[in-house]
Amino acid sequence: MALLVLVVLMAIGGQDTSSQPAIAVPLHGWEQTTPDTSLEQARTAALQSTPQTTLPAQFSKNPLWWVIHTPVSAGQFLVFPSRHALSVSCWSATGELLGTATRAASVGALHVSGTGFSLRINAAQSSILCQGQFEGPARVSAAIMSETALESFEVHHSKQGALIEAGMGVLALFMLISAWINKEPAHLVFGVWLGLGMRMAALSAGTDFELMGWRLPLSALIPARQWTIAFYFATTVVMFSKLFKTELEQAGVKTPTRIIQGLAMLVMGAAALLAYGHFLIVVWVCTTINVALILYSLTRVLMQGFDRAAAWYGASIVVTLAAGMSEVVAAALSLAKPPMMLTSVSAAVISALMASLAIAERIRSEREEKDEAKSSARRAYEGSPIGLFTLSSTGTVVKGNPAMQRMMGFDPVGCTLMTLLEQQAWHALSDAFDNAQSSEVEVQVAGLRPNTDKWFLVRGSLDAKTHQIEGSIQDATEAHASKQALEFLASHDPLTACLNLRGATAELEQIKQAAVGPVSMVYLDLDRFKLVNDLYGHPAGDHVLREVCMRMRACVRARDAIARVGGDEFLLVFPSTAIEEAHAIVEKLMASLCESLFHFDGKSFSLSASAGLVESAAQGFHAEDMISAADAACRMAKKQGKRLVEANSASGFYKKNKEELEIARCLEDGRMPQGLTLFMQPIMSLKNPFASLNFEVLLRLRKPDGSILGAVGLIETAEFLGKITLIDRWVLRTTLEWIEQHMPHLSRTKFISVNLSGASMNDEVFLGDAFAILSQHREAASKLCLEITETVALTDIKNTIKFVERARQLGLRIAIDDFGSGFAGFTYLRDVPSDSLKLDGSLVQSIATNPATHAIVHACAGLAHSLGMTCVGEFAENLPIIKALVDAGVSYAQGYGISKPVEPERILTAQSSADFIQDADTMAFVRKLSLMDFTARADTDDERLLH
């Protein structure tokens, strides 16, 4: 490359034509600044100037006139070698036009010659006047040449242009073709850069008027020069950025790189907006800055570690800078030729050489990296523990690594995959490749002995060019076993090997999709199973659970599913089985579990169980709803002391359970169920029935159709979820707000009973909230009578006493509810300051028919009166019970015999609790009670209660 450059440089010879026989002549110059000037005026103005061998035109677009006084003989030529000249015209001393010429055409003796124009002298001339138009940093000079010398000059010029186009043009074309073949963007940019460098060299040598023998139009010459310079600048920046992208990032020169790229955009913008002269000034300034920044960046790159590509490229930039600065200095000082004997032509060739060496160095380093990568890949291929292979389009092993040879026990090259792994592997891969470029299959290979099957994971990807398959093979036997174990554990109980809840749900979904016949399900709960663990230890409990599952399997059919969904809870699914058939199976199963002893470690014990059996249609059921319904039926059986409770979809059980689930969701979210409302049940005085309007607040649910439901299910659900305090808090606040709103209508009301649950009474947080609510509604709270169940009062007597005392300080009354249901002792009645005893309904219901019950009620009423309390009998369902309560000395009665619970609006329209009685006989009896003379008695119970 270096030798080739020397030959080219020697052949080009730069722009120095001093070796040609030419005589420089002095010129008198004048720049025309007025629109109209005659020849005589121009000649006179020019002769007033000092003669010079070179006239600087610089960037002026005004016509330039010059006069030559040197005698010129006929047959000689005057040569004006300026590549910036666009047109020249000459006249004799007598004003005769000798010739005029532009880059496109000529008239007379003036012609385009070399880098400029030449004038043939046909008759001796003593004085010649010429005018010229220039574009760019032009310098006007003139020389006298012989015809032979001129021909030599023109041949040299043509040769120079041809060498530039042939040398750099061929190199640029080669790089473009190489970039296209190798798909290398950097080489493509370099090829474009070399092509533009060729045009830059031609511009400097004055040969850019032609391109590959085609002369450019005069109108396109200046724009072509302008855009050539702009694109050369931009491609230089792009090539630099691409060539050293990684190194520049590592050297930390982001800011200089961005400035370099910004200057390239500035030059492109200047080319589009500015005139040629102004554009050149922008280019010179940007070139100086850009070269400095590029050299700085390359220096930083070299400081990170010597890089030959960076060194060559830096040298290329230095040569370009030196040539550019030489041109600038020559233009500024009006020199005939650049200093340092370095022209843009020679600089372009040298710079292209050095840039080529930088590219070559980069290619070499990339090749070494690729070679190292190949070697590393080969080592990895040979040392990989995974079997790697290459298959032909027919499935024959073309290549296999040592790991595959060890796996197969022999060299598999030449064998087919069907031979090695049976036909299914090859067929699976082939089918997968019909739809995608890569695939993965897991295949089983039968072993020679039972339970010695192997699993292999085969992966492959199709090479679209060679149509070969690059693949890998792994022994996946252990992984397959682990996967199966995990899949089993995901859907099965590890202790009993039965399904778990997830597996049971999936089984139900499959049954639903099959949609064949009704589906029955049993939810079974072992009673008091915890005692087995507590008495005999967990090993005994595990043994029992496994045996329970064994007994279940012996009773059910093969198609039935068994799942353990809790510690001692099981789920059995009977597909395509009506509830009658399932009932028979469950009875057999329950007998097997409950009537046969279990044995462990020499000990024998029995178990009992509760079960809920539900049925659903084959279609339309939801697995979660069905499981929940079966669970609810099981809980119902346990609560009622039954072995089995069953329900089908027609019984309304599902609907009721779904409603309870919706209530549970509301409570879990901290929301109150829709339709929650309050009803009131009157409590009538048995001594003065028409004197007061007292009642108990009861909770009810209003359904969307307007029907009213009891709140037993709601309360049980809330207590089961531990959310009963939400209900009690709502009841307390709503009741107080209602009382406060309707206080004027409740003047005859002595007390309003509100029942709080035992769980709330033992909840410190609730009690704090309750007293805060009561404090906010003190006037309304003075009418409240809080009912505390007997069992709650006995649970923690000290806390009960504290609560009662604090409540009474706020003006509340206290009643002991469900009195007589436990009879655990009567000492608490002395310690707990209460206002009323409310007899349990189980006592009151039989008072009219059972003398013993009557005696007990009479004793309780007497005890209450002795302690200064009133006595209330609930479940007063009819007139005989009411009469018996009166006879036993009970103060108040509450029950359907007086009134069912009514809406709050009806309470507001009544004057007394007796106004609600509908039965004529009962009303007649109550009227007699009101007329009885109670003066013989002590104070009335109403008065006592007010105290």
Side-chain angles (χ1 to χ4, degrees), residues 1 51 74 111 180 238 265 308 324 326 428 522 555 679 702 748 821 825 939:
M1 288 290 289
H111 301 278
W180 178 265
V238 172
M265 296 176 65
R308 283 182 286 187
S326 295
V522 170
C555 296
F679 269 55
R702 190 187 302 274
R748 294 170 63 85
S821 61
D939 298 331

Side-chain angles (χ1 to χ4, degrees), residues 232-254:
Y232 182 75
F233 191 100
T235 52
T236 301
V237 171
V238 172
M239 186 173 66
F240 170 74
S241 300
K242 280 188 169 293
L243 193 62
F244 297 102
K245 179 180 179 181
T246 304
E247 288 80 358
L248 291 173
E249 291 177 354
Q250 294 175 350
V253 287
K254 290 184 178 180

Side-chain angles (χ1 to χ4, degrees), residues 583-871:
H583 179 87
I585 298 174
V586 174
E587 286 293 346
K588 178 183 176 183
L589 186 150
M590 295 292 280
S592 174
L593 294 179
C594 303
E595 297 175 10
S596 299
L597 294 176
F598 289 82
H599 306 279
F600 177 77
D601 197 19
K603 302 177 183 66
S604 299
F605 44 87
S606 61
L607 288 179
S608 61
S610 302
L613 173 62
V614 296
E615 178 198 61
S616 180
Q619 292 180 326
F621 73 87
H622 295 283
E624 292 182 357
D625 292 345
M626 194 171 183
I627 294 173
S628 176
D631 182 19
C634 179
R635 283 188 279 110
M636 186 181 298
K638 188 179 288 289
K639 183 176 181 180
Q640 296 175 357
K642 296 180 180 179
R643 177 180 284 186
L644 178 65
V645 169
E646 59 183 62
N648 54 30
S649 55
S651 66
F653 186 82
Y654 282 96
K655 185 177 181 181
K656 180 182 178 183
N657 183 67
K658 192 171 183 179
E659 292 174 350
E660 291 181 357
L661 285 177
E662 182 59 33
I663 291 173
R665 292 190 186 98
C666 290
L667 295 175
E668 285 289 356
D669 295 338
R671 298 181 289 112
M672 299 307 296
Q674 292 291 329
L676 203 63
T677 187
L678 295 180
F679 269 55
M680 282 80 172
Q681 187 173 28
I683 303 175
M684 186 183 71
S685 170
L686 296 178
K687 297 183 179 180
N688 197 353
F690 294 98
S692 61
L693 176 62
N694 308 309
F695 52 88
E696 180 180 0
V697 175
L698 301 173
L699 191 64
R700 292 292 185 266
L701 276 174
R702 190 187 302 274
K703 298 178 66 176
D705 60 2
S707 59
I708 303 298
L709 297 178
V712 176
L714 168 64
I715 293 173
E716 288 180 350
T717 302
E719 289 178 340
F720 177 75
L721 296 174
K723 300 290 184 180
I724 191 63
T725 56
L726 292 176
I727 303 294
D728 284 345
R729 190 180 288 109
W730 183 88
V731 169
L732 184 61
R733 180 182 288 109
T734 306
T735 301
L736 288 170
E737 290 175 352
W738 184 86
I739 295 173
E740 201 170 64
Q741 183 180 357
H742 301 97
M743 186 68 77
H745 299 84
L746 302 174
S747 59
R748 294 170 63 85
T749 299
K750 308 304 179 183
F751 63 90
I752 300 171
S753 295
V754 175
N755 202 330
L756 296 180
S757 69
S760 296
M761 295 297 297
N762 291 315
D763 190 312
E764 292 294 335
V765 175
F766 170 79
L767 293 179
D769 294 343
F771 282 116
I773 296 171
L774 291 168
S775 300
Q776 294 172 5
H777 306 276
R778 277 184 174 271
E779 185 179 0
S782 64
K783 288 188 177 294
L784 281 189
C785 178
L786 296 181
E787 296 184 357
I788 305 173
T789 61
E790 184 182 28
T791 54
V792 172
L794 290 172
T795 300
D796 190 340
I797 191 68
K798 292 183 179 180
N799 282 336
T800 301
I801 294 172
K802 289 181 181 179
F803 170 77
V804 169
E805 290 176 349
R806 187 174 176 186
R808 289 169 70 88
Q809 288 174 3
L810 292 173
L812 276 75
R813 298 171 178 83
I814 303 297
I816 301 298
D817 195 15
D818 296 336
F819 184 78
S821 61
F823 288 104
F826 293 101
T827 56
Y828 75 94
L829 292 177
R830 180 194 61 197
D831 299 327
V832 178
S834 304
D835 300 283
S836 178
L837 289 181
K838 197 167 190 179
L839 301 177
D840 187 68
S842 61
L843 287 174
V844 175
Q845 283 179 316
S846 60
I847 188 174
T849 57
N850 191 325
T853 303
H854 187 281
I856 293 172
V857 172
H858 186 274
C860 291
L863 177 64
H865 295 154
S866 299
L867 294 175
M869 296 186 287
T870 60
C871 184

